[in-house]
Every structure is written in C-alpha cells, then in structure tokens.
Amino acid sequence: MAVKLKIKKGDNVKVIAGDDKGKTGKVLAVYPKTLKVVVEGCKIAKKAIKPSDKNPNGGFINKEMPMDISNVAKIQE
C-alpha cells in the first residue's frame, strides 16, 4: 500500500532534529518505501570510491545521505 507524503522533490525544508538541526535546504530525493528524504547540504558523509575512467585516482567524495522524513518540516514560501 502506497503512503501519501506531504514532502515532494524540490520542496524547501528545515531540519528539525539531528546533527544538522536548524539547516534549510531543497529536497533532492524522496524514498516513500523507507520514509526517507535526501536534503541538499545536510547529513554529509565521506564515501570512498574506487578508481574508474571518470575518476582515475579514486579517493573520497562528500555525499548527502538519506534522513528520516520525520526530521524535516516543510517551509512556507
């Protein structure tokens, strides 16, 4: 059964709980099955990447990770 969410991709939200509390950002992705969202500039993690054609040296990149949808609130524009 599908869950109706009030937050959609492209909405501006404010983080109301967690390490990034108080930050605002745009929603980049919504995952309704796990009730998670990815917010621009919040919950940044350092990810190791293998060498490839695109990145021949490999190394680390900063990536936004999903956070629970209950930790964000939609901002009125």
Side-chain angles (χ1 to χ4, degrees):
M1 181 156 159
V3 179
K4 179 83 168 138
L5 301 175
K6 297 180 192 294
I7 296 174
K8 297 182 289 230
K9 181 179 175 181
D11 287 347
N12 287 322
V13 295
K14 181 177 185 177
V15 179
I16 57 173
D19 293 339
D20 295 316
K21 183 177 180 178
K23 288 187 181 179
T24 59
K26 188 174 166 185
V27 176
L28 300 175
V30 178
Y31 303 110
K33 284 186 178 180
T34 56
L35 296 176
K36 295 197 180 281
V37 292
V38 177
V39 181
E40 184 178 37
C42 295
K43 199 168 177 191
I44 301 290
K46 229 177 216 338
K47 301 292 283 183
I49 55 171
K50 290 184 176 181
S52 64
D53 292 336
K54 188 177 177 184
N55 191 355
N57 295 330
F60 295 94
I61 59 167
N62 291 326
K63 182 177 179 185
E64 288 101 355
M65 300 302 290
M67 65 172 60
D68 201 78
I69 201 162
S70 65
N71 294 343
V72 297
K74 195 171 181 180
I75 297 175
Q76 299 294 332
E77 285 140 13

